[in-house]
Amino acid sequence: MKNKGLKKTKFPGVYLDKSLDEKYKGKVIFKEKLDLANKMLKIHGVPENAKKHL
Protein backbone atom coordinates (compact mmCIF):
# COMPACT_ATOMS: atom_id res chain seq x y z
CA MET A 1 0.00 0.00 0.00
CA LYS A 2 1.41 3.39 -0.98
CA ASN A 3 0.92 6.63 0.89
CA LYS A 4 0.05 9.20 -1.74
CA GLY A 5 -0.09 12.12 0.71
CA LEU A 6 3.55 12.05 1.81
CA LYS A 7 6.03 14.56 0.47
CA LYS A 8 9.10 13.22 -1.25
CA THR A 9 11.28 16.15 -0.17
CA LYS A 10 13.41 16.27 2.97
CA PHE A 11 12.64 19.96 3.55
CA PRO A 12 10.33 20.18 6.57
CA GLY A 13 8.37 23.19 5.33
CA VAL A 14 9.68 25.56 8.00
CA TYR A 15 10.57 29.05 6.87
CA LEU A 16 13.05 31.17 8.83
CA ASP A 17 12.63 34.92 9.15
CA LYS A 18 16.09 36.41 8.65
CA SER A 19 14.98 39.83 9.96
CA LEU A 20 14.78 38.34 13.46
CA ASP A 21 18.55 37.74 13.46
CA GLU A 22 19.27 41.46 13.68
CA LYS A 23 16.38 42.14 16.04
CA TYR A 24 17.56 39.67 18.71
CA LYS A 25 21.32 39.74 18.11
CA GLY A 26 23.13 40.29 21.41
CA LYS A 27 19.94 40.22 23.51
CA VAL A 28 19.32 37.71 26.29
CA ILE A 29 15.76 36.44 25.98
CA PHE A 30 15.60 33.83 28.78
CA LYS A 31 17.83 35.36 31.46
CA GLU A 32 16.78 32.94 34.24
CA LYS A 33 17.59 29.89 32.12
CA LEU A 34 20.92 31.37 31.02
CA ASP A 35 21.86 32.11 34.63
CA LEU A 36 20.97 28.55 35.67
CA ALA A 37 22.99 27.06 32.80
CA ASN A 38 26.03 29.18 33.66
CA LYS A 39 25.73 28.19 37.34
CA MET A 40 25.57 24.49 36.44
CA LEU A 41 28.60 24.81 34.15
CA LYS A 42 30.54 26.59 36.88
CA ILE A 43 29.73 23.88 39.44
CA HIS A 44 29.96 20.74 37.28
CA GLY A 45 32.00 21.84 34.26
CA VAL A 46 31.51 20.75 30.68
CA PRO A 47 30.53 17.06 30.30
CA GLU A 48 33.20 14.77 28.84
CA ASN A 49 31.10 13.76 25.83
CA ALA A 50 30.54 17.44 24.95
CA LYS A 51 34.22 18.39 25.16
CA LYS A 52 35.09 16.48 21.99
CA HIS A 53 32.59 18.60 20.03
CA LEU A 54 34.03 21.95 21.12
Side-chain angles (χ1 to χ4, degrees):
M1 179 179 227
K2 289 186 178 180
N3 290 330
K4 294 181 181 179
L6 295 177
K7 291 183 183 179
K8 295 186 183 199
T9 179
K10 291 184 180 182
F11 186 71
V14 176
Y15 300 98
L16 303 176
D17 187 0
K18 299 289 182 180
S19 67
L20 296 175
D21 289 342
E22 291 299 319
K23 182 177 180 181
Y24 292 108
K25 188 175 188 176
K27 292 184 180 179
V28 177
I29 299 173
F30 300 103
K31 181 158 178 41
E32 299 84 18
K33 290 186 178 187
L34 179 64
D35 291 341
L36 179 62
N38 285 332
K39 180 181 174 184
M40 296 300 285
L41 284 173
K42 187 183 286 186
I43 293 170
H44 300 287
V46 178
E48 290 298 321
N49 60 352
K51 286 182 181 179
K52 60 184 170 187
H53 296 290
L54 294 178

